[in-house]
Amino acid sequence: QSVLTQPPSVSGAPGQTVIISCTGSSSNIGARFDVHWYQQYPGTAPKVVISSNNNRPSGVPDRFSGSKSGTSASLAISGLQAEDEAVYYCQSYDKSLGGHVVFGGGTKVTVL
Amino acid sequence: QLQLQESGSGLVRPSQTLSLTCTVSGGSISADGNSWTWLRQPPGKGLEWIGYIFHSGNTFYNPSLKNRVTISVDRSGNQFSLNVTSVTAADTAVYYCGRYRGNYGYFDYWGQGALVTVSS
């Protein structure tokens, strides 16, 4: 059971927009800790696509955007492309139990 | 460009100790602000943070693993290491080393991952 909750899967046609939610609590996202998002293709290491809620690292297409409000965060992928089909994880920090890094369970994005 | 590479035993017997090393190239492990981390991913499952070691040498571990995990740094070798004691089948996973950015931050560089299987 992950500390951060994500939907197992979302799907969209090419060109559409998909949104992945990440729901936390008052001890992590609600405590104003930043949320970061990773993209992972099968058999490869994750890669950060959004850092600190809404920052895109160099090389990440501007189709990727992030937002945060209250105890939740979202990753939006607009103009969906076949190459966006991957698993996406959100990550934050939780102040309970002395403090630790927490992840969502991952969301599989399928491009129809 | 910073690169990280995991190495170590791919097969560990139950109750034994899992040991992995991450070699950093393209940058100094001792550079100010750098912190180093281990994460893992059981087959077909999600990501789990194991722990990190800050530039200061302070270490922080996942509470669920804290009693079995040690992360250390070998600055002369530009490497850092992970030991997990008393392993069980539940410790079977792909283990990733990485760099951790900032306080309450994120992981910006990752190794390619090393599969460790716990089996007799």
Side-chain angles (χ1 to χ4, degrees):
Chain A
Q1 194 78 351
S2 301
V3 173
L4 304 179
T5 301
Q6 298 179 234
S9 63
V10 298
S11 62
Q16 289 187 333
T17 296
V18 296
I19 297 175
I20 303 169
S21 61
C22 175
T23 302
S25 68
S26 59
S27 65
N28 42 69
I29 299 175
R32 300 188 180 183
F33 292 112
D34 287 342
V35 178
H36 319 283
W37 292 89
Y38 302 86
Q39 174 192 64
Q40 186 180 34
Y41 295 115
T44 69
K47 165 193 163 186
V48 60
V49 292
I50 292 290
S51 65
S52 302
N53 308 317
N54 55 16
N55 293 308
R56 265 190 326 276
S58 175
V60 175
D62 60 6
R63 302 182 288 103
F64 290 85
S65 62
S67 64
K68 187 183 98 166
S69 178
T71 58
S72 296
S74 295
L75 173 70
I77 310 173
S78 60
L80 198 63
Q81 298 184 6
E83 67 197 53
D84 300 330
E85 185 161 297
V87 178
Y88 294 82
Y89 294 92
C90 61
Q91 176 246 311
S92 186
Y93 187 86
D94 192 291
K95 64 182 180 180
S96 67
L97 301 175
H100 57 290
V101 172
V102 291
F103 283 94
T107 298
K108 173 67 185 298
V109 170
T110 300
V111 181
L112 300 172
Chain B
Q1 177 79 342
L2 199 67
Q3 292 186 316
L4 296 87
Q5 177 68 59
E6 303 91 348
S7 60
S9 176
L11 178 64
V12 183
R13 306 300 183 192
S15 80
Q16 300 300 304
T17 297
L18 177 161
S19 296
L20 292 171
T21 296
C22 182
T23 300
V24 179
S25 59
S28 172
I29 202 168
S30 299
D32 284 346
N34 277 349
S35 300
W36 306 97
T37 191
W38 288 95
L39 307 99
R40 69 183 184 179
Q41 185 171 35
K45 296 188 178 180
L47 298 165
E48 180 179 35
W49 171 70
I50 297 173
Y52 41 52
I53 183 165
F54 283 102
H55 178 262
S56 62
N58 290 338
T59 52
F60 296 87
Y61 302 121
N62 188 320
S64 67
L65 299 169
K66 185 176 182 178
N67 294 334
R68 300 194 294 126
V69 171
T70 303
I71 296 175
S72 59
V73 167
D74 170 12
R75 300 190 187 280
S76 64
N78 224 38
Q79 299 176 326
F80 62 103
S81 297
L82 170 71
N83 280 347
V84 182
T85 61
S86 305
V87 297
T88 69
D91 294 307
T92 294
V94 174
Y95 284 76
Y96 295 101
C97 63
R99 189 177 75 169
Y100 183 68
R101 293 297 286 175
N103 293 319
Y104 317 120
Y106 63 101
F107 310 103
D108 61 348
Y109 286 94
W110 298 64
Q112 65 183 27
L115 174 62
V116 178
T117 301
V118 178
S119 175
S120 56

